Coordinates of all heavy atoms in Angstrom, one line a residue:
M25 N 412.3 103.3 85.3 CA 413.6 103.4 84.7 C 414.4 102.3 85.4 O 414.4 102.1 86.6 CB 414.2 104.8 85.0 CG 415.5 105.0 84.4 SD 416.0 106.8 84.5 CE 416.4 107.0 86.1
E26 N 415.2 101.6 84.5 CA 416.1 100.5 85.0 C 417.5 100.8 84.6 O 417.7 101.4 83.6 CB 415.6 99.2 84.5 CG 414.3 98.7 85.0 CD 414.0 97.3 84.6 OE1 414.9 96.5 84.2 OE2 412.8 97.0 84.6
R27 N 418.4 100.3 85.4 CA 419.8 100.5 85.1 C 420.2 99.6 83.9 O 419.9 98.4 83.9 CB 420.7 100.2 86.3 CG 422.1 100.6 86.0 CD 422.9 100.7 87.3 NE 424.2 101.0 87.0 CZ 425.1 101.3 87.8 NH1 424.8 101.4 89.1 NH2 426.3 101.6 87.5
L28 N 420.8 100.2 82.9 CA 421.2 99.5 81.7 C 422.6 98.9 82.0 O 422.8 97.7 81.7 CB 421.3 100.5 80.5 CG 421.6 100.0 79.2 CD1 420.5 99.0 78.7 CD2 421.7 101.1 78.2
G29 N 423.5 99.7 82.5 CA 424.8 99.2 82.8 C 425.8 100.4 82.9 O 425.4 101.5 82.9
T30 N 427.1 100.1 83.1 CA 428.1 101.1 83.2 C 429.0 101.1 81.9 O 429.3 100.0 81.5 CB 429.0 100.9 84.4 OG1 428.1 100.9 85.6 CG2 430.0 101.9 84.6
V31 N 429.2 102.3 81.4 CA 430.1 102.4 80.2 C 431.5 101.9 80.6 O 432.1 102.5 81.4 CB 430.1 103.8 79.6 CG1 431.0 103.9 78.4 CG2 428.7 104.3 79.3
H32 N 431.9 100.8 79.9 CA 433.2 100.2 80.2 C 434.3 100.7 79.3 O 435.4 101.0 79.8 CB 433.0 98.7 80.0 CG 434.1 97.8 80.3 ND1 434.6 97.7 81.6 CD2 434.9 97.1 79.5 CE1 435.7 96.9 81.6 NE2 435.9 96.5 80.4
R33 N 434.0 100.9 78.0 CA 435.0 101.5 77.1 C 434.3 101.9 75.8 O 433.1 101.7 75.6 CB 436.1 100.4 76.8 CG 435.6 99.2 76.0 CD 436.8 98.2 75.9 NE 436.4 97.1 75.1 CZ 436.6 96.9 73.9 NH1 437.2 97.8 73.2 NH2 436.2 95.8 73.2
I34 N 435.1 102.5 74.9 CA 434.6 102.9 73.6 C 435.3 101.9 72.6 O 436.5 101.7 72.6 CB 435.0 104.3 73.3 CG1 434.4 105.2 74.3 CG2 434.6 104.7 71.9 CD1 434.9 106.7 74.3
A35 N 434.5 101.4 71.7 CA 435.0 100.5 70.6 C 434.6 101.1 69.3 O 433.4 101.0 68.9 CB 434.5 99.1 70.8
G36 N 435.5 101.8 68.6 CA 435.1 102.4 67.3 C 434.2 103.6 67.6 O 434.5 104.5 68.4
T37 N 432.9 103.5 67.2 CA 431.9 104.5 67.5 C 430.9 104.1 68.5 O 430.0 104.8 68.8 CB 431.2 104.9 66.2 OG1 430.5 103.8 65.7 CG2 432.2 105.5 65.1
L38 N 431.1 102.9 69.1 CA 430.1 102.4 70.0 C 430.6 102.5 71.5 O 431.8 102.4 71.8 CB 429.9 100.9 69.7 CG 429.3 100.6 68.3 CD1 429.2 99.1 68.2 CD2 427.9 101.2 68.2
L39 N 429.6 102.6 72.4 CA 429.9 102.6 73.8 C 429.7 101.1 74.2 O 428.7 100.5 73.8 CB 428.9 103.4 74.6 CG 428.9 104.9 74.2 CD1 427.7 105.6 74.9 CD2 430.1 105.6 74.7
V40 N 430.6 100.5 74.9 CA 430.5 99.2 75.4 C 430.2 99.2 76.9 O 431.0 99.8 77.7 CB 431.8 98.4 75.2 CG1 431.7 97.0 75.7 CG2 432.1 98.3 73.7
L41 N 429.1 98.6 77.3 CA 428.6 98.6 78.7 C 428.7 97.2 79.3 O 428.3 96.3 78.6 CB 427.2 99.1 78.8 CG 426.9 100.6 78.6 CD1 427.0 101.0 77.1 CD2 425.6 100.9 79.1
R42 N 429.0 97.1 80.5 CA 428.8 95.9 81.2 C 427.4 95.9 81.7 O 427.0 96.9 82.4 CB 429.8 95.8 82.4 CG 429.6 94.4 83.1 CD 430.7 94.2 84.0 NE 431.9 94.0 83.2 CZ 433.1 93.6 83.7 NH1 433.3 93.4 85.0 NH2 434.1 93.5 82.9
A43 N 426.6 95.0 81.3 CA 425.2 95.0 81.7 C 425.0 94.9 83.2 O 425.7 94.3 83.9 CB 424.4 93.8 81.0
A44 N 423.9 95.6 83.6 CA 423.6 95.6 85.1 C 423.0 94.3 85.6 O 422.9 94.1 86.7 CB 422.7 96.8 85.4
S45 N 422.5 93.5 84.6 CA 421.8 92.3 85.0 C 422.0 91.2 84.0 O 422.5 91.5 82.9 CB 420.3 92.5 85.3 OG 419.6 92.6 84.0
T46 N 421.7 90.0 84.3 CA 421.8 88.9 83.3 C 420.6 88.9 82.4 O 420.6 88.1 81.5 CB 421.9 87.5 84.0 OG1 420.8 87.4 84.9 CG2 423.2 87.4 84.9
D47 N 419.7 89.8 82.6 CA 418.5 89.9 81.7 C 418.6 91.4 81.2 O 417.8 92.2 81.6 CB 417.2 89.7 82.4 CG 416.0 89.7 81.5 OD1 416.2 89.5 80.3 OD2 414.9 90.0 82.1
P48 N 419.5 91.6 80.2 CA 419.7 93.0 79.8 C 418.6 93.6 78.9 O 417.7 92.9 78.5 CB 421.0 92.9 78.9 CG 421.0 91.5 78.4 CD 420.3 90.7 79.5
A49 N 418.7 94.9 78.7 CA 417.7 95.6 77.8 C 417.8 95.0 76.4 O 418.8 94.5 76.0 CB 418.1 97.0 77.8
P50 N 416.7 95.0 75.7 CA 416.7 94.5 74.4 C 417.3 95.4 73.3 O 417.5 96.6 73.6 CB 415.2 94.4 74.1 CG 414.5 95.5 74.9 CD 415.4 95.5 76.1
I51 N 417.7 94.8 72.2 CA 418.2 95.6 71.1 C 417.2 96.6 70.7 O 416.0 96.3 70.6 CB 418.7 94.7 70.0 CG1 419.9 93.9 70.4 CG2 419.0 95.5 68.7 CD1 420.3 92.9 69.4
G52 N 417.6 97.9 70.5 CA 416.6 98.9 70.1 C 416.2 99.8 71.3 O 415.6 100.9 71.1
A53 N 416.5 99.4 72.6 CA 416.1 100.2 73.7 C 416.9 101.5 73.7 O 418.0 101.6 73.3 CB 416.5 99.4 75.0
T54 N 416.2 102.5 74.2 CA 416.9 103.8 74.3 C 417.7 104.0 75.5 O 417.2 103.7 76.6 CB 415.8 105.0 74.2 OG1 415.0 104.8 73.0 CG2 416.4 106.3 74.3
A55 N 418.9 104.3 75.4 CA 419.8 104.5 76.5 C 419.7 106.0 77.0 O 419.8 106.9 76.1 CB 421.2 104.2 76.2
I56 N 419.6 106.2 78.3 CA 419.5 107.6 78.8 C 420.5 107.7 80.0 O 420.9 106.7 80.6 CB 418.0 107.9 79.3 CG1 417.5 106.9 80.3 CG2 417.1 108.0 78.1 CD1 416.1 107.2 80.8
D57 N 420.9 109.0 80.3 CA 421.8 109.2 81.4 C 421.0 109.6 82.7 O 419.8 109.6 82.7 CB 422.8 110.2 81.0 CG 422.3 111.6 80.8 OD1 421.1 111.9 81.1 OD2 423.0 112.5 80.2
E58 N 421.7 109.9 83.7 CA 421.1 110.2 85.0 C 420.2 111.5 84.9 O 419.3 111.7 85.8 CB 422.1 110.3 86.1 CG 423.1 111.4 86.0 CD 424.3 111.0 85.3 OE1 424.5 109.9 84.9 OE2 425.2 111.9 85.2
N59 N 420.4 112.3 83.9 CA 419.6 113.5 83.7 C 418.4 113.3 82.8 O 417.7 114.2 82.4 CB 420.5 114.6 83.2 CG 421.6 115.0 84.1 OD1 421.4 115.1 85.3 ND2 422.8 115.3 83.5
L60 N 418.2 112.0 82.5 CA 417.1 111.6 81.6 C 417.3 112.1 80.1 O 416.3 112.1 79.4 CB 415.7 112.0 82.1 CG 415.4 111.5 83.5 CD1 414.0 111.9 83.9 CD2 415.5 109.9 83.6
D61 N 418.5 112.5 79.8 CA 418.8 112.8 78.4 C 419.1 111.6 77.6 O 419.8 110.7 78.1 CB 420.0 113.8 78.4 CG 419.7 115.1 79.0 OD1 418.6 115.6 79.0 OD2 420.7 115.7 79.6
T62 N 418.6 111.5 76.4 CA 418.9 110.4 75.5 C 420.4 110.4 75.1 O 420.9 111.4 74.6 CB 418.0 110.5 74.2 OG1 416.6 110.4 74.7 CG2 418.3 109.3 73.3
V63 N 421.0 109.2 75.2 CA 422.4 109.0 74.9 C 422.5 108.3 73.5 O 423.3 108.6 72.7 CB 423.1 108.3 76.0 CG1 424.5 107.9 75.6 CG2 423.1 109.1 77.3
G64 N 421.6 107.3 73.3 CA 421.7 106.5 72.1 C 420.8 105.3 72.2 O 419.8 105.3 73.0
R65 N 421.1 104.3 71.4 CA 420.3 103.1 71.3 C 421.1 101.8 71.4 O 422.3 101.8 70.9 CB 419.5 103.0 70.0 CG 418.5 104.0 69.8 CD 417.2 103.4 69.2 NE 416.2 104.4 69.1 CZ 415.2 104.5 69.9 NH1 415.0 103.7 70.9 NH2 414.3 105.4 69.7
V66 N 420.6 100.8 72.1 CA 421.3 99.5 72.2 C 421.3 98.9 70.8 O 420.2 98.7 70.2 CB 420.6 98.6 73.2 CG1 421.2 97.2 73.2 CG2 420.6 99.2 74.6
V67 N 422.4 98.5 70.3 CA 422.5 97.9 69.0 C 423.0 96.4 69.1 O 422.9 95.7 68.1 CB 423.4 98.7 68.0 CG1 422.8 100.0 67.7 CG2 424.8 98.8 68.6
D68 N 423.5 96.0 70.2 CA 424.0 94.6 70.3 C 424.0 94.2 71.8 O 424.3 95.0 72.6 CB 425.3 94.4 69.7 CG 425.7 93.0 69.3 OD1 424.8 92.1 69.5 OD2 426.8 92.7 69.0
V69 N 423.8 92.9 72.0 CA 424.0 92.3 73.3 C 424.9 91.1 73.1 O 424.7 90.3 72.2 CB 422.7 91.7 73.9 CG1 422.9 91.1 75.3 CG2 421.7 92.9 74.1
F70 N 426.0 91.0 73.8 CA 427.0 90.0 73.5 C 427.8 89.5 74.8 O 427.6 90.1 75.8 CB 428.0 90.5 72.4 CG 428.8 91.7 72.8 CD1 430.1 91.6 73.4 CD2 428.3 93.0 72.7 CE1 430.8 92.7 73.8 CE2 429.0 94.1 73.0 CZ 430.2 94.0 73.6
G71 N 428.6 88.5 74.6 CA 429.4 88.0 75.8 C 428.7 86.9 76.4 O 427.6 86.4 76.0
P72 N 429.2 86.4 77.6 CA 428.6 85.3 78.3 C 427.3 85.6 78.9 O 427.1 86.8 79.3 CB 429.7 84.9 79.3 CG 430.5 86.2 79.5 CD 430.4 86.9 78.2
K73 N 426.4 84.7 78.9 CA 425.0 84.9 79.5 C 425.1 85.4 80.9 O 424.3 86.2 81.4 CB 424.2 83.7 79.3 CG 422.7 83.9 79.8 CD 421.8 82.9 79.1 CE 420.4 83.1 79.5 NZ 419.7 84.2 79.1
A74 N 426.1 84.9 81.7 CA 426.2 85.2 83.1 C 426.7 86.6 83.3 O 426.5 87.2 84.4 CB 427.1 84.2 83.8
E75 N 427.4 87.2 82.3 CA 428.0 88.6 82.4 C 427.9 89.3 81.1 O 428.9 89.5 80.4 CB 429.4 88.5 82.9 CG 429.5 88.0 84.3 CD 431.0 88.0 84.8 OE1 431.9 88.4 84.0 OE2 431.2 87.6 85.9
P76 N 426.7 89.6 80.6 CA 426.6 90.1 79.2 C 427.1 91.6 79.1 O 427.2 92.3 80.1 CB 425.1 90.1 79.0 CG 424.4 90.1 80.3 CD 425.4 89.4 81.2
Y77 N 427.4 92.0 77.9 CA 427.8 93.3 77.6 C 426.8 93.9 76.6 O 426.1 93.1 75.9 CB 429.2 93.4 76.9 CG 430.3 93.1 77.9 CD1 430.6 91.9 78.4 CD2 431.0 94.2 78.5 CE1 431.6 91.7 79.3 CE2 432.0 94.0 79.4 CZ 432.3 92.8 79.8 OH 433.3 92.6 80.7
L78 N 426.7 95.2 76.5 CA 425.8 95.9 75.5 C 426.6 96.8 74.7 O 427.6 97.4 75.2 CB 424.7 96.7 76.3 CG 423.8 95.9 77.2 CD1 423.1 96.8 78.1 CD2 422.9 95.0 76.5
A79 N 426.3 97.0 73.5 CA 426.8 98.0 72.6 C 425.8 99.0 72.3 O 424.7 98.7 72.0 CB 427.3 97.4 71.3
V80 N 426.1 100.3 72.6 CA 425.2 101.4 72.4 C 425.8 102.3 71.4 O 426.9 102.8 71.5 CB 425.0 102.2 73.8 CG1 424.2 103.4 73.5 CG2 424.3 101.3 74.8
S81 N 425.0 102.6 70.4 CA 425.3 103.6 69.4 C 424.9 105.0 69.9 O 423.7 105.3 70.0 CB 424.6 103.3 68.0 OG 425.0 104.2 67.1
P82 N 425.9 105.9 70.2 CA 425.5 107.2 70.7 C 425.0 108.1 69.6 O 425.3 108.0 68.4 CB 426.8 107.7 71.3 CG 427.9 107.0 70.5 CD 427.3 105.7 70.1
G83 N 424.2 109.1 70.0 CA 423.7 110.1 69.1 C 424.9 111.0 68.7 O 425.9 111.0 69.3
D84 N 424.6 111.7 67.6 CA 425.7 112.6 67.0 C 426.2 113.6 67.9 O 427.4 114.0 67.9 CB 425.2 113.2 65.7 CG 424.9 112.2 64.6 OD1 425.5 111.2 64.6 OD2 424.1 112.5 63.7
E85 N 425.3 114.1 68.8 CA 425.7 115.2 69.7 C 426.4 114.8 71.0 O 426.8 115.6 71.8 CB 424.5 116.1 70.0 CG 423.5 115.4 70.9 CD 422.6 114.4 70.2 OE1 422.6 114.3 68.9 OE2 421.9 113.6 70.8
I86 N 426.5 113.4 71.2 CA 427.1 112.9 72.4 C 428.6 112.7 72.3 O 429.1 112.3 71.3 CB 426.5 111.5 72.7 CG1 424.9 111.6 72.8 CG2 427.1 110.8 73.9 CD1 424.5 112.5 73.9
S87 N 429.3 113.1 73.4 CA 430.7 112.9 73.5 C 431.0 111.6 74.2 O 430.8 111.6 75.5 CB 431.3 114.1 74.2 OG 432.7 113.9 74.5
P88 N 431.3 110.6 73.5 CA 431.5 109.3 74.2 C 432.5 109.3 75.4 O 432.3 108.6 76.4 CB 431.9 108.3 73.1 CG 431.5 109.0 71.8 CD 431.5 110.4 72.1
A89 N 433.6 110.0 75.2 CA 434.6 110.0 76.3 C 434.1 110.4 77.6 O 434.6 110.0 78.7 CB 435.8 110.8 75.8
R90 N 433.1 111.3 77.6 CA 432.6 111.8 78.9 C 431.7 110.8 79.7 O 431.4 110.9 80.8 CB 431.8 113.1 78.7 CG 430.4 112.9 78.2 CD 429.6 114.2 78.2 NE 428.3 114.1 77.6 CZ 427.3 113.5 78.2 NH1 427.3 113.2 79.5 NH2 426.1 113.4 77.6
L91 N 431.4 109.7 79.0 CA 430.5 108.7 79.5 C 431.3 107.5 80.1 O 430.7 106.6 80.8 CB 429.5 108.2 78.5 CG 428.5 109.3 78.0 CD1 427.7 108.8 76.8 CD2 427.6 109.7 79.1
I92 N 432.6 107.4 80.0 CA 433.4 106.3 80.5 C 433.1 106.2 82.0 O 433.2 107.2 82.7 CB 434.9 106.5 80.2 CG1 435.1 106.4 78.7 CG2 435.7 105.4 80.9 CD1 434.9 105.1 78.0
Q93 N 432.8 105.0 82.5 CA 432.6 104.7 83.9 C 431.3 105.4 84.4 O 431.1 105.4 85.7 CB 433.8 105.1 84.8 CG 435.0 104.4 84.5 CD 434.9 102.9 84.6 OE1 434.4 102.4 85.6 NE2 435.3 102.2 83.6
K94 N 430.4 105.8 83.6 CA 429.1 106.4 84.0 C 428.0 105.4 83.8 O 428.0 104.6 82.8 CB 428.8 107.7 83.1 CG 429.8 108.8 83.2 CD 429.7 109.5 84.5 CE 430.7 110.7 84.4 NZ 430.7 111.4 85.6
P95 N 427.0 105.4 84.7 CA 425.9 104.5 84.5 C 424.9 105.1 83.4 O 424.8 106.3 83.3 CB 425.2 104.5 85.9 CG 425.6 105.8 86.5 CD 426.9 106.2 85.9
L96 N 424.3 104.1 82.7 CA 423.2 104.5 81.8 C 422.0 103.7 82.2 O 422.1 102.7 82.8 CB 423.6 104.2 80.3 CG 424.8 105.0 79.8 CD1 425.0 104.6 78.3 CD2 424.5 106.5 79.9
Y97 N 420.8 104.2 81.8 CA 419.6 103.6 82.1 C 418.7 103.4 80.9 O 419.0 103.9 79.8 CB 418.8 104.5 83.1 CG 419.7 104.8 84.3 CD1 420.6 105.9 84.3 CD2 419.6 104.0 85.5 CE1 421.4 106.2 85.5 CE2 420.4 104.3 86.6 CZ 421.3 105.3 86.6 OH 422.1 105.6 87.7
W98 N 417.5 102.8 81.1 CA 416.6 102.6 80.0 C 415.2 102.5 80.6 O 415.0 102.1 81.8 CB 416.9 101.4 79.1 CG 416.7 100.1 79.7 CD1 417.4 99.5 80.7 CD2 415.7 99.1 79.4 NE1 416.9 98.3 81.0 CE2 415.9 98.0 80.2 CE3 414.7 99.1 78.4 CZ2 415.1 96.9 80.1 CZ3 413.9 97.9 78.3 CH2 414.1 96.8 79.2
R99 N 414.2 102.7 79.8 CA 412.8 102.6 80.3 C 412.1 101.4 79.6 O 411.9 101.4 78.4 CB 412.0 103.8 80.0 CG 412.1 104.9 81.0 CD 411.0 105.9 80.7 NE 411.4 107.1 81.5 CZ 411.9 108.2 80.9 NH1 412.1 108.3 79.6 NH2 412.3 109.2 81.6
P100 N 411.9 100.3 80.4 CA 411.2 99.2 79.7 C 409.7 99.5 79.4 O 409.1 100.4 80.0 CB 411.2 98.1 80.8 CG 411.6 98.7 82.1 CD 412.2 100.1 81.7
D101 N 409.2 98.9 78.4 CA 407.8 99.1 78.0 C 406.9 98.6 79.2 O 407.2 97.6 79.8 CB 407.4 98.3 76.8 CG 408.1 98.8 75.5 OD1 408.5 100.0 75.5 OD2 408.3 98.0 74.6
R102 N 405.9 99.3 79.4 CA 405.0 98.9 80.5 C 403.9 98.0 80.0 O 403.5 98.0 79.0 CB 404.4 100.2 81.1 CG 405.5 101.1 81.6 CD 404.9 102.3 82.3 NE 405.8 103.4 82.4 CZ 406.9 103.5 83.2 NH1 407.1 102.5 84.0 NH2 407.6 104.6 83.2

């Protein structure tokens, strides 16, 4: 499990994360919380290469407001 980033804000229906590294998770990666519950999927990587951001589309049952300032994670393919 690797750190995806921290939820920075909500934009429309998307969670905007500041990426944890300059080599962020790929589009389509599953975002999970510290309890290993699925939060959503990465749908975009944007911003400067030195400080990228990620857009995560949350699942229907997820309350985006509770995730502000929370870290999210992902599992890279082995």
Side-chain angles (χ1 to χ4, degrees):
M25 183 166 76
E26 290 187 25
R27 188 162 178 170
L28 187 61
T30 301
V31 179
H32 185 65
R33 67 186 182 97
I34 300 168
T37 60
L38 299 175
L39 301 170
V40 178
L41 288 74
R42 182 165 296 185
S45 76
T46 56
D47 185 23
I51 292 173
T54 300
I56 55 178
D57 65 14
E58 64 267 359
N59 298 319
L60 303 179
D61 294 326
T62 299
V63 172
R65 292 221 178 259
V66 175
V67 295
D68 198 10
V69 178
F70 60 96
K73 185 155 177 73
E75 295 179 0
Y77 285 82
L78 302 165
V80 172
S81 178
D84 292 337
E85 67 286 349
I86 300 300
S87 172
R90 76 170 177 84
L91 296 171
I92 297 289
Q93 299 302 312
K94 302 283 184 182
L96 295 181
Y97 304 87
W98 72 291
R99 277 194 195 102
D101 292 335
R102 300 184 203 284

